[in-house]
Amino acid sequence: MTTFSLVALPIVVLLFVVRYHKEIRNWISTTTKDYGFFKKYGGSHSPSDVKGMAPYPAQPIKGRERYRVMMDIRKLDVQNWLTLDKNYMEEHSVRDDLLREKRDKVLQCLPESAQACQEALEEVSEFLCERYPNMFQKLVQGDRTSIQNCMTGERFDIGGSGSGGEGIDALEAAVRLTMEDLSILMMNEDGEYYLAASASLFPTGWTVEERIGWTISRLHEPVPLWHQHVANSVSKFLARLTPTSPMERSNYFVEIKRPDENLIEILYRPKGLCEKDLSVPSPEEIIIRRERQTFRRLPKTGTILFGVKTYLTRLDQLPMNELENLATEMRSWPDYVGEYKGKSVWGAKVLEFYKSRVGQMNEKVEV
């Protein structure tokens, strides 16, 4: 190679990079991006495979013999920050109905949360495209970036000239992609975190329309012993959360449903879980409603993205060890805690069902 070639080659490469820097940048972002807080994970799922995907395992009822409000925080399973399962399409239909018919009740964003909502959509989109590459696809056209949901056919702008909407539009797009409800927590002048934006489509005993802007402390005022047991710990936990240390926790409730209720009425419960007058519910009408809650500090805005995935299990489908643990925990509740949880409506039936299951097991052992 001549001296001229050695000098000219780098110049040609440099000119090429300058001329096509946007195209090169977009290609790199779609093929080699490392998300920092989780390792890359590819899957071979096709869009139709979601119908056969088992739900991410919910945390079991632990059977504590002494009642105490606890945070039970643990490190986030980052490979499964957002999950899909066989209920995706049915729940997506519920989300679509709620966002069309009750939008103001389930979706609210304060003006100061706009950038955080946009960042939340970007993070959700990047994760889903990486975790489920055949179900979600990132599309780049010039300086416009969008995400295609291959299961529903929906497409949302997530960056560039096509993403000039308000924060509420970005947050709505994010919850139309996920199975999780999503909220933005921001810190106020007093150093307290508050609900700055929320898409809470599956609430229990409240609506976003009523509580947008409330502090975490105010949101938990109805919860017995919350302020005495964990209020200070929650404040410290939220303040210390970093983009590289996402966390999660779980809790559960007991819900009563009528035989003729549809999925929207079961999941969307703004008035509470046991407000219906069913004095003697059957095991099929008693539902163990679990939540997997995730906490992520968004790297750009520094706000907290709070996610909630809801799981439903009928009492008659609950494993025996968890049924026993539920009975144990029920006995540990003070009367005022039992009243808050609606125990007077379903408690006797749960214990009756548990005893009948124990009797059936004893009969099998004797045989």
Side-chain angles (χ1 to χ4, degrees):
M1 182 177 291
T2 66
T3 302
F4 174 78
S5 299
L6 291 173
V7 174
L9 183 59
I11 296 175
V12 172
V13 172
L14 179 60
L15 291 174
F16 179 83
V17 170
V18 171
R19 172 64 180 83
Y20 296 103
H21 72 280
K22 287 186 179 181
E23 289 78 2
I24 294 172
R25 182 183 60 192
N26 289 335
W27 178 80
I28 292 174
S29 68
T30 57
T31 59
T32 65
K33 181 170 181 178
D34 184 355
Y35 300 102
F37 83 99
F38 73 102
K39 296 179 180 178
K40 287 190 172 184
Y41 183 97
S44 57
H45 300 293
S46 69
S48 62
D49 287 343
V50 71
K51 298 177 182 178
M53 295 172 66
Y56 182 81
Q59 282 289 303
I61 300 172
K62 297 182 178 179
R64 292 190 175 96
E65 296 181 356
R66 179 185 176 188
Y67 177 76
R68 181 175 177 82
V69 180
M70 302 179 70
M71 290 180 63
D72 273 348
I73 294 291
R74 59 188 180 275
K75 289 183 179 180
L76 176 69
D77 176 5
V78 292
Q79 298 283 13
N80 292 292
W81 168 41
L82 305 172
T83 64
L84 304 183
D85 61 50
K86 60 185 179 182
N87 301 309
Y88 182 87
M89 293 304 295
E90 190 174 13
E91 290 190 15
H92 183 276
S93 177
V94 170
R95 288 174 175 272
D96 180 62
D97 288 344
L98 289 170
L99 286 166
R100 284 188 293 103
E101 299 173 7
K102 302 180 184 294
R103 192 171 192 264
D104 290 343
K105 293 185 180 297
V106 301
L107 179 65
Q108 293 283 332
C109 298
L110 297 179
E112 63 267 28
S113 70
Q115 289 186 345
C117 290
Q118 179 61 38
E119 185 179 7
L121 173 58
E122 292 169 2
E123 293 289 328
V124 166
S125 299
E126 295 289 1
F127 181 90
L128 291 175
C129 289
E130 182 74 6
R131 181 66 172 83
Y132 305 101
N134 293 328
M135 298 179 178
F136 299 93
Q137 294 181 358
K138 185 176 180 180
L139 306 175
V140 179
Q141 295 178 324
D143 67 344
R144 179 178 178 178
T145 305
S146 60
I147 180 172
Q148 176 83 25
N149 186 333
C150 301
M151 295 173 287
T152 66
E154 294 170 306
R155 180 174 174 176
F156 303 101
D157 290 315
I158 57 176
S161 59
S163 60
E166 299 178 353
I168 195 168
D169 299 319
L171 193 60
E172 177 177 351
V175 295
R176 283 182 176 275
L177 294 169
T178 68
M179 296 186 73
E180 287 80 5
D181 286 354
L182 299 171
S183 298
I184 298 292
L185 307 180
M186 299 179 69
M187 184 180 288
N188 63 20
E189 295 179 352
D190 298 323
E192 288 189 84
Y193 277 92
Y194 67 98
L195 192 66
S198 184
S200 292
L201 288 80
F202 303 158
T204 56
W206 66 288
T207 67
V208 176
E209 186 178 39
E210 300 168 345
R211 301 191 181 183
I212 188 68
W214 285 22
T215 63
I216 298 300
S217 179
R218 187 182 178 190
L219 286 167
H220 287 86
E221 277 182 1
V223 182
L225 301 179
W226 187 89
H227 287 80
Q228 298 93 316
H229 288 178
V230 299
N232 289 335
S233 298
V234 170
S235 296
K236 292 178 182 178
F237 159 70
L238 294 176
R240 294 172 180 172
L241 194 68
T242 70
T244 57
S245 63
M247 307 295 283
E248 65 176 282
R249 68 180 298 271
S250 301
N251 63 358
Y252 75 91
F253 311 94
V254 179
E255 176 178 347
I256 303 299
K257 76 174 189 71
R258 293 188 184 279
D260 58 347
E261 280 187 325
N262 58 37
L263 189 58
I264 292 181
E265 294 171 308
I266 294 172
L267 286 168
Y268 178 70
R269 300 299 293 265
K271 295 181 180 180
L273 298 176
C274 302
E275 81 281 2
K276 302 217 170 65
D277 186 21
L278 280 176
S279 57
V280 189
S282 69
E284 295 82 8
E285 296 165 339
I286 300 175
I287 296 176
I288 308 304
R289 181 180 180 125
R290 294 182 243 218
E291 292 182 347
R292 181 190 180 218
Q293 303 176 351
T294 61
F295 304 82
R296 280 197 55 206
R297 174 83 65 184
L298 295 176
K300 294 179 183 177
T301 58
T303 57
I304 294 175
L305 178 57
F306 173 58
V308 180
K309 171 72 177 292
T310 299
Y311 301 81
L312 304 174
T313 307
R314 285 185 354 204
L315 183 68
D316 60 329
Q317 297 174 339
L318 199 64
M320 184 60 193
N321 64 317
E322 288 199 71
L323 181 59
E324 183 176 9
N325 289 344
L326 175 60
T328 298
E329 292 197 357
M330 286 171 53
R331 297 188 185 102
S332 75
W333 296 343
D335 291 342
Y336 57 90
V337 173
E339 182 179 356
Y340 169 75
K341 293 178 178 289
K343 181 180 174 182
S344 61
V345 178
W346 49 262
K349 196 65 180 180
V350 168
L351 293 177
E352 176 187 322
F353 181 70
Y354 165 64
K355 291 176 182 177
S356 70
R357 289 280 301 273
V358 171
Q360 293 171 6
M361 292 180 66
N362 290 337
E363 290 177 2
K364 290 181 179 179
V365 171
E366 292 176 0
V367 173

